[in-house]
Structure formats: structure tokens, C-alpha cells
Amino acid sequence: MKRSRYGAAATGALIADWAFPASAQAVTGGTGAAANFIALLTERFEFTFAQLPALGAHLARLPQAIGMKTAFLLAAIVVAGLLAEYVARLLLGRARVRVFDRLAATTPLRAFFRAVLFDVAALIVLAVAGRLVLAQLDAQSLGGKLGALVLHTLVYWRGFNLVFRAFLRPDTPEGRIAPVNSPAAHRLLAGLNLVILLPLLAGMAARGLPITGASPEMTGAAVIIYIPIVSAALLWVVWHWRLDMAAWLTAMVPEQGFTRKLKLDMARNWWMAGLVFYALLGVAAVYAALTESGTASRGMALIESALLALLLFETLMHRITRHIVSELPMAGDVVADCVRLLVRLYVAIVIAEALMVRVLAAYTPEEWLPHDRGAKIAAVTAVAIYAFWRFLKYRMDSYIAANPLPSADVSGDAEEEVKVAASRLRTLMPLLKVVAGSTIAVVGGLLVLSELGVNITPLIAGASVLGLAVSFGSQSLVRDIVSGIFFLAEDSFRIGEYVDCSKVKGTVEGFSVRSLKLRHQNGQLHIVPFGQVGHITNFSRDWTVIKFNLAFANGTDVELLRKTVKKIGTDMMEEPQFKPILMQPLKMQGVVDIKDNSLIVRFKFMARPKNPSMIQRMAVRRMYEQLPKLGIQFATPNFPFAMPMASAAAPSAPAPAPQPAPPAKAAE
């Protein structure tokens, strides 16, 4: 445990001493553990550089120690392996193209894995060819040990190249998984190979020097010399291919979502984090050479591997789900998001362990074990809660999509169908969705925090006090919310229904937890808090009776009018257009008044509250068309004032001769 604590202090002190030597000395004051480690590292640095002459002499003796034949065989391992892989790829290339042509359009995942099998076969051929050359060397000799190291490094590099090539496919766009074009795929394949190859060569040199008989001090001196070069090369790779990698990352950002802009900014500026990471990787490697402990360097390498694996996994998931263009998430998308979250959390746990235990050495492996166990349980809990919410949301969204809300627009044709009001469940579904999401988020967050070791009792107590304070300080808000809960529980209204709230009236267009939205027939939108709603009169529930009056001429045969109107109502009841709406046919109630030399007759019918005004208009129209044919005339207004006479306008003018009437048209 003490060694780990001192390792963390040494790392921080080394960075501080390199960046701000004066301030580091002022802070430590030349005393304490940090100052001791700075002095120790300074001595190690000076001692390591003192080994440079011995290192040079050792390197000068290497050609003689290895021998020309052994050097030739070491080079032959690389050449034979790469050549065998190239030939195998050429022979299997046609079969790979046939796989892509047959399966890429329909089952891209199957085509991807089958093509990977061909690449694995080429890698096996490389390993076999290299092993055959390695067999020419004695396994216990210097050449045999170096040959095994060279072959291991070669296979490791080509294995990573296999993975990168499987995703990029520079020469076969139809099988490409990464969302980039062919030129960018060629460039990215070269850049990713350099990212893997440069650290591999550095590690091979660090492991190969002790095999040749170099002392640890000489090996550390060599590492300090070439690590800055390797780090500078990696920084150049990040800078040189920053745009191509940014294109890869931005293409995977979802088209929708409130975090899209943030994700796009992070994808375009990824190179900033890349430069910092590889600079820290170089510092960790130098520190490992000075302290003869490669824990920090291996931790940074583990973080790099985890991030690359996450990038490839996200690319594969994007390729699998990108064909879905529907706004409504499918069940496959829900499963994919749950798997994606699980992998992300696992990578986060791995990075946290590498950072806290290996890089910073803030914990020993034994001390980190309870935190690791709690983090994994919390991750599984978070995935389970997220999966439950996504499937619940999927079912709610499916129901909402299958039951669209009626429109409050009244600007269309008067004769067209009007949608019925939404069901009670459809009306409450948006509010239930918000309540369920909030509840799951709060409860799930508390469970995850509890698994991580956070005491949630103060959080619950603080939330209770805050809720009590809000309830006392916002009594009107509480009244609105409570009133809305009771209105909704009593099913007082639904979206699409026409209601009267004493002060305003209109069609229910929506509601929130505290207010109701009413759209007036003239277009105005009223926002009414539930606390101000004294009562609600619903005009769209169950049935409605429509009564209207018409004026007929004096002397109208009332009995004939009654029978004719009854026949019109019976005929409308049998028509498919009105049969689902009319509950009782149109009928005449009788004469209700005699006014201005006319009979006022009242009619009524019972219908469902869908569009009764349309039925009334159709009934009046049919009466207007049929009644005059039976001698039943509508009343005409009487004008109480006299019309001016032509003789009054010109008394002395002679009367004009009558003009013959025009002949009647055939159409008339």
C-alpha cells in the first residue's frame, strides 16, 4: 500500500517538477515524501544518462553477437510472414468479394463475420510462415529468443491490422463498416497501424535489450532516448489524421437528440484529448523507465485499448441500426441501446480501474476490489433500469403512434368528417410517460448511488425538506396540480372534446400537470390553470340532442310536414354515412309559435357528439329540396315600408312602350 501511495506522489511530483520546478520546490519546501521522491527521481535520471556510453558500446557489439545469419533469419521472419499473408489475401480476395456481393445488402453482419474468417485464415498463414523460419533458430539461443519476440510482435501487429481492415475495407466499399469514404479509409488504416506499430516497436526494444545482455540501467537509458521520439510520432499521427477520424466520429452521431450539438463538437475536437493522452502516455513510459516499474505505462496502454475497442463496437452497432429510418424506435433499437449502454459502462469501469490503480496508484488492487464490485453491480442495475424504461417507453410510443390525437383545426370543409375525441388512456398517456420516466430516473438513480457506496439517506431527507418548502411557498401551484389530478382521475375531459370551463370554452388540445389548453373555434388558444376551473361542462360526451326552428308560410299542412320530415329522418338513419352517428331520427316536435304571418316549427334529433352540425345542415338541405315539391312553402319576410314608384320619380314623362319578352332558352 505504501509503495502505491509513493508511486502516485512520485508521478505527480515528476510532472510538477518538469512543468514548474520552482513552484514544486516552493510547495514541497524541500521536505516530505514528495521532495524525497523528486530527489530520488533526479538521481535516477542522472544515473540513467550516465549509462549512455555503456549503452552505445553494447549496441556496437550487437551485430557481432547476433551474427549475420541470425540477423538474416530475423528479417526473414518478418518478410516471409508478410509475404505469406499478402499471397493468402490475394487468393482469398475473390471469395471475400463474392461474400460481400451476396450478403452485404441483406445481412451485413453475416457478411462482416464471414469476411473476418478469411482475414483470420491469412493471419494464420502469416504465423505459420514465420514459425517455419523461426524453426531454423535454436529456441534457447540469443537468435531464437529474439526471433520469438519478433514473431510475437509481428502477429500482434497484424492482428490489430486485421481488425482495422475488417472495419475500414479500403478496397471493398460494399463491405465497409466504418462510415467513411474510400480515400479516408486508406488514410485511417495507415494511421491506426502506426498507432499500434510504434508502441509495439518501443515495447519490443525494451524487452529485447535485456535478452541481448543489456543491464536494466542501459535499457532505461534507451527507453528515455526513444520514448520522446515515439511520443512525438504518435502526436503527429493524431494531428495528421484528425480530420479523417473526425469524419468517422461525426458520421455516427444520431440525427436527433438534444445532445447532438455537444456530441458533434466533441467528435470534431477529439484530437485535443488525443494529444493530451499520448503526451501523458510518453510521460508514463519515461516514469516507468526511471522507476523500473511499468505499471503506469501498462495502465495507459490498457486505457488506449479500451477506447479503441469501444470505437469499433460503436461503429459496428451504428452499422447494424443505421438502416432504420422510422421516427418510432423499433424493438431492435431498444435492445441495441441497452447493449451499447452495458458496453460503455464496462469500458468506463475498466478505464477507472486502470487510472486509479495503475496510472495514479491511488489504490492497491486489494483496496480497489470493493469499489470494482460495487461499480459492476451498479452498472448492471443501471442497465436493467434503463432497459425497463426503454421497453416501457417503446410500448407507450407505439400506443401513441397507433392512436393519433384528433385535430382541433376547424378551417377545413364544413362537410368533412371530424375525428372523435381521444380515449381516456390516450389522453393520459403523455402525462403517464413523464411521471413514469421521472419516477424511474429518481428511484434508479438512488439505487445506483447506493450500490456505489453513496449514503442516500441525506439525499432523501433533503428532497423531503425541499418538497415541503415548495409546497408552502407555492400554494397556488400545489392547488393547480392537485385539482388537475382529480379532474384527470374523474375523466372530466379528453383531448379533442369540446368543453366549457365557465370562463372560456373550446376544444381540449392538451394539458400539463397544472394547466389545460383549450382551442377556441376562432383559433385562440386559452391556457387555464386547473385551480381556476370551477366546473367543466363537456359537450362531447355520450350523446347530444339538437333542436332547431324553421319558419313556414301560414296555412302549411302541418300533418304533411310531419310525415315528410319523419321520412327524411328515417332515410338518413339508414344511410351508411349517418347510421353510426344518428341515435334517434329527425322528427318534428310541433308548432311552437305563430309570428309575422308564419308558423314557427321545431325539429330535433339525437346524435353522437361527433359532428351534429353536419347532420343538421344535411337535414335542412333535404327539407329545402323536398318540401316545396309537396306544396309546403317556407315563410317569406314582409317589408313594412313602401317601395318607391317609377311615376313618382318622373310624373311628366310618358310611359315607355312595352318591350317584347325575350324567347325562353331551351335549357330553361
Side-chain angles (χ1 to χ4, degrees):
M1 177 178 177
K2 292 182 178 180
R3 183 177 180 182
S4 300
R5 301 290 185 186
Y6 287 145
T11 304
L14 176 62
I15 298 174
D17 189 47
W18 283 6
F20 308 99
S23 59
Q25 185 176 2
V27 171
T28 58
T31 59
N36 293 334
F37 269 97
I38 290 176
L40 177 61
L41 291 178
T42 303
E43 295 176 1
R44 294 284 303 175
F45 197 78
E46 295 175 354
F47 178 76
T48 301
F49 266 91
Q51 303 298 318
L52 291 180
L55 175 63
H58 178 76
L59 295 177
R61 292 192 301 268
L62 273 183
Q64 184 179 1
I66 295 176
M68 185 63 67
K69 180 181 178 181
T70 303
F72 175 78
L73 291 175
L74 293 178
I77 293 175
V78 178
V79 174
L82 294 178
L83 183 61
E85 182 192 20
Y86 177 74
V87 173
R89 290 184 58 82
L90 283 180
L91 295 177
L92 298 174
R94 185 172 298 177
R96 187 186 303 108
V97 171
R98 285 199 301 267
V99 168
F100 288 141
D101 292 340
R102 189 174 68 256
L103 300 176
T106 56
T107 54
L109 193 60
R110 185 181 300 177
F112 170 78
F113 284 111
R114 288 194 180 183
V116 169
L117 290 179
F118 291 121
D119 295 334
V120 171
L123 182 63
I124 294 174
V125 171
L126 177 146
V128 171
R131 187 66 184 175
L132 290 176
V133 178
L134 180 62
Q136 305 302 318
L137 297 171
D138 184 10
Q140 301 301 323
S141 64
L142 175 61
K145 295 179 181 179
L146 291 178
L149 180 60
V150 169
L151 180 60
H152 178 268
T153 304
L154 179 64
V155 173
Y156 198 79
W157 167 43
R158 299 312 293 175
F160 273 96
N161 176 76
L162 181 152
V163 176
F164 297 145
R165 184 178 294 274
F167 279 82
L168 292 170
R169 296 294 176 194
D171 300 324
T172 52
E174 62 274 7
R176 186 175 302 140
I177 301 297
V180 294
N181 53 30
S182 295
H186 280 91
R187 294 191 295 267
L188 284 170
L189 183 59
L192 291 173
N193 273 281
L194 287 176
V195 168
I196 297 299
L197 184 58
L198 291 173
L200 280 178
L201 294 177
M204 185 178 68
R207 291 191 299 271
L209 284 174
I211 295 176
T212 61
S215 64
E217 292 79 9
M218 289 189 292
T219 303
V223 170
I224 291 176
I225 291 174
Y226 66 70
I227 280 299
I229 301 175
V230 174
S231 298
L234 290 174
L235 295 177
W236 175 81
V237 169
V238 171
W239 177 258
H240 185 73
W241 279 280
R242 68 189 187 281
L243 298 180
D244 294 323
M245 182 57 70
W248 184 346
L249 297 175
T250 53
M252 295 192 300
V253 176
E255 295 293 335
Q256 300 176 351
F258 65 94
T259 60
R260 171 175 168 78
K261 189 176 184 304
L262 176 61
K263 292 179 180 178
L264 287 175
D265 292 338
M266 294 176 63
R268 294 191 185 103
N269 300 313
W270 73 273
W271 54 272
M272 298 182 182
L275 294 177
V276 174
F277 176 81
Y278 283 109
L280 293 177
L281 183 61
V283 172
V286 173
Y287 171 73
L290 290 174
T291 58
E292 299 179 3
S293 174
T295 305
S297 181
R298 288 193 295 270
M300 295 295 291
L302 179 60
I303 294 175
E304 179 190 29
S305 301
L307 293 176
L308 287 175
L310 180 61
L311 170 64
L312 299 179
F313 171 79
E314 292 286 351
T315 303
L316 183 62
M317 296 301 296
H318 171 75
R319 178 64 179 84
I320 294 174
T321 59
R322 72 178 182 181
H323 65 281
I324 301 176
V325 296
S326 174
E327 294 183 1
L328 180 64
M330 307 300 290
D333 279 344
V334 177
V335 175
D337 289 341
C338 295
V339 174
R340 187 180 286 116
L341 177 62
L342 179 62
V343 173
R344 289 175 180 175
L345 292 177
Y346 180 76
V347 170
I349 293 173
V350 171
I351 292 177
E353 187 270 339
L355 187 65
M356 301 302 295
V357 177
R358 303 190 182 188
V359 178
L360 299 179
Y363 294 88
T364 62
E366 293 76 15
E367 292 175 337
W368 178 255
L369 187 59
H371 299 282
D372 182 73
R373 185 182 301 108
K376 290 179 179 178
I377 296 176
V380 173
T381 304
V383 172
I385 293 172
Y386 180 75
F388 173 72
W389 161 241
R390 283 304 305 270
F391 278 102
L392 181 63
K393 182 175 179 293
Y394 166 70
R395 296 299 302 168
M396 290 182 173
D397 291 339
S398 301
Y399 181 83
I400 291 174
N403 299 272
L405 291 175
S407 174
D409 185 16
V410 294
S411 61
D413 187 4
E415 300 295 335
E416 67 184 3
E417 287 286 326
V418 176
K419 296 180 180 180
V420 297
S423 64
R424 184 180 186 184
L425 180 59
R426 178 61 183 86
T427 300
L428 295 176
M429 188 59 71
L431 186 60
L432 292 176
K433 183 178 175 181
V434 174
V435 172
S438 303
T439 303
I440 291 174
V442 172
V443 176
L446 292 176
L447 289 177
V448 171
L449 291 177
S450 177
E451 295 295 341
L452 290 175
V454 178
N455 187 9
I456 62 175
T457 303
L459 297 178
I460 299 176
S464 302
V465 174
L466 179 62
L468 188 62
V470 170
S471 63
F472 278 110
S474 304
Q475 296 184 13
S476 60
L477 176 63
V478 175
R479 182 174 66 251
D480 293 338
I481 295 176
V482 173
S483 300
I485 291 174
F486 280 102
F487 276 125
L488 294 175
E490 295 171 358
D491 194 21
S492 301
F493 56 85
R494 300 175 186 175
I495 294 179
E497 293 182 338
Y498 190 84
V499 299
D500 183 0
C501 295
S502 66
K503 295 183 179 180
V504 294
K505 61 179 63 177
T507 303
V508 179
E509 195 170 81
F511 58 89
S512 63
V513 293
R514 62 168 298 272
S515 63
L516 178 66
K517 296 180 181 180
L518 297 179
R519 177 73 66 176
H520 194 266
Q521 57 264 29
N522 294 333
Q524 300 93 332
L525 180 63
H526 301 289
I527 309 296
V528 185
F530 285 117
Q532 298 181 12
V533 178
H535 72 278
I536 290 180
T537 303
N538 196 324
F539 293 92
S540 303
R541 191 61 61 86
D542 300 330
W543 50 267
T544 182
V545 175
I546 302 298
K547 298 180 180 180
F548 59 95
N549 298 335
L550 293 178
F552 293 90
N554 195 10
T556 299
D557 188 346
V558 177
E559 183 64 19
L560 178 61
L561 175 61
R562 184 187 66 80
K563 294 180 179 180
T564 305
V565 171
K566 182 178 180 181
K567 175 126 181 7
I568 293 175
T570 305
D571 293 341
M572 293 181 65
M573 282 283 293
E574 298 300 326
E575 295 181 10
Q577 181 182 2
F578 305 108
K579 189 174 182 179
I581 307 175
L582 274 171
M583 301 179 66
Q584 291 183 4
L586 174 69
K587 63 179 65 175
M588 187 187 80
Q589 283 191 292
V591 178
V592 296
D593 197 2
I594 300 176
K595 186 177 181 182
D596 294 335
N597 200 25
S598 62
L599 298 178
I600 308 299
V601 182
R602 177 168 296 171
F603 305 90
K604 77 168 186 176
F605 63 89
M606 179 185 292
R608 301 186 187 280
K610 184 178 181 181
N611 193 6
S613 60
M614 182 265 292
I615 300 177
Q616 178 182 347
R617 290 192 298 269
M618 183 57 66
V620 173
R621 177 179 175 180
R622 295 190 178 187
M623 284 191 290
Y624 179 78
E625 293 174 349
Q626 298 181 23
L627 294 181
K629 298 178 182 179
L630 301 176
I632 301 175
Q633 300 296 328
F634 290 93
T636 57
N638 295 324
F639 297 100
F641 52 90
M643 299 295 292
M645 303 299 294
S647 59
S652 60
Q659 298 293 331
K665 297 182 180 179
E668 299 176 350

